[in-house]
Amino acid sequence: MREYKTQTKETIITTTFSTPLGEMFAAASQKGIVILTFFTPFNIEAKIQTLKTTLDSDIVPGNCEFFNTLKIQLQEYFEKKRTTFEIPLQLVGSSFQVKCWKELLNIPYGKTISTKDLAIKMNDVKIEKAIFNACCQNMIEILVPSHRVLINDELKTKIEGIEKKEFLLKLEKND
């Protein structure tokens, strides 16, 4: 008798929850958080499509332990009781994007860096625009702190996100 192997797709669990900046959408794989973004349907659909394609996964609403930890740590962050996050992340993107996002994880709480300085740190001054684009494509907002990256030392971001970026930078500022 012939045996057939069935390959099961990974299941990504999703949820939404409230923050002081509004509703957020989160998704988690078995490895960790893969999406944390402010709730804008178009933005979320594009990110979900990236997950489906890249991870060959099914996306279903639900709850998991990662979400419980995420909600607690975000609440502590917004209350200025937390400056770092201790939750597993799964960065999903091109190799350049992942490399850039890993650099963002090294930017200390309350500090900012320009795209130019980040490009120098990554040993290629020609990638400044690519860094900005990677920040705009960041799928794990707040935890991967693209809000700490400035363009030519100015506060710029995706058009719909400038108020949120200002809020986060002000929150992290040492009083």
Side-chain angles (χ1 to χ4, degrees):
M1 184 189 290
R2 183 179 254 184
E3 262 187 61
Y4 292 96
K5 290 185 179 180
T6 58
Q7 188 163 349
T8 58
K9 286 185 170 187
E10 180 172 8
T11 301
I12 305 291
I13 309 295
T14 66
T15 192
T16 59
F17 56 94
S18 296
T19 73
L21 281 173
E23 286 292 302
M24 292 195 82
F25 175 86
S29 69
Q30 292 178 343
K31 295 178 182 176
I33 300 296
V34 291
I35 296 177
L36 177 63
T37 191
F38 294 101
F39 197 86
T40 54
F42 173 76
N43 187 21
I44 292 169
E45 287 303 318
K47 290 177 181 185
I48 287 174
Q49 191 56 48
T50 298
L51 290 181
K52 284 181 179 179
T53 304
T54 307
L55 300 179
D56 188 29
S57 56
D58 290 323
I59 314 290
V60 297
N63 198 9
C64 68
E65 189 56 39
F66 290 132
F67 295 153
N68 298 332
T69 303
L70 176 64
K71 290 173 189 176
I72 291 167
Q73 290 188 14
L74 277 174
Q75 181 178 346
E76 292 170 349
Y77 169 80
F78 283 114
E79 292 172 352
K80 297 186 95 167
K81 296 176 182 173
R82 174 174 291 278
T83 59
T84 60
F85 294 95
E86 296 148 10
I87 188 167
L89 306 176
Q90 182 178 1
L91 304 174
V92 178
S94 70
S95 59
F96 175 79
Q97 288 172 327
V98 171
K99 180 180 177 184
C100 186
W101 297 333
K102 285 181 178 179
E103 284 295 328
L104 300 184
L105 292 169
N106 295 321
I107 304 169
Y109 178 91
K111 303 290 183 193
T112 58
I113 189 170
S114 70
T115 50
K116 181 179 180 179
D117 289 339
L118 194 53
I120 291 167
K121 190 174 183 181
M122 293 174 71
N123 298 316
D124 189 348
V125 294
K126 299 176 200 161
I127 62 171
E128 199 173 339
K129 185 172 180 152
I131 289 171
F132 173 74
N133 289 335
C135 289
C136 290
Q137 298 299 315
N138 177 12
M139 302 223 319
I140 307 176
E141 297 182 61
I142 302 174
L143 306 183
V144 177
S146 55
H147 62 277
R148 297 178 188 155
V149 178
L150 306 178
I151 313 305
N152 299 323
D153 295 322
E154 294 180 32
L155 188 64
K156 293 181 184 173
T157 189
K158 300 175 280 185
I159 292 173
E160 77 276 1
I162 194 75
E163 300 86 12
K164 290 175 175 69
K165 184 169 186 163
E166 288 173 339
F167 179 95
L168 295 172
L169 291 174
K170 185 177 179 182
L171 175 76
E172 293 182 7
K173 207 173 212 180
N174 291 331
D175 297 317

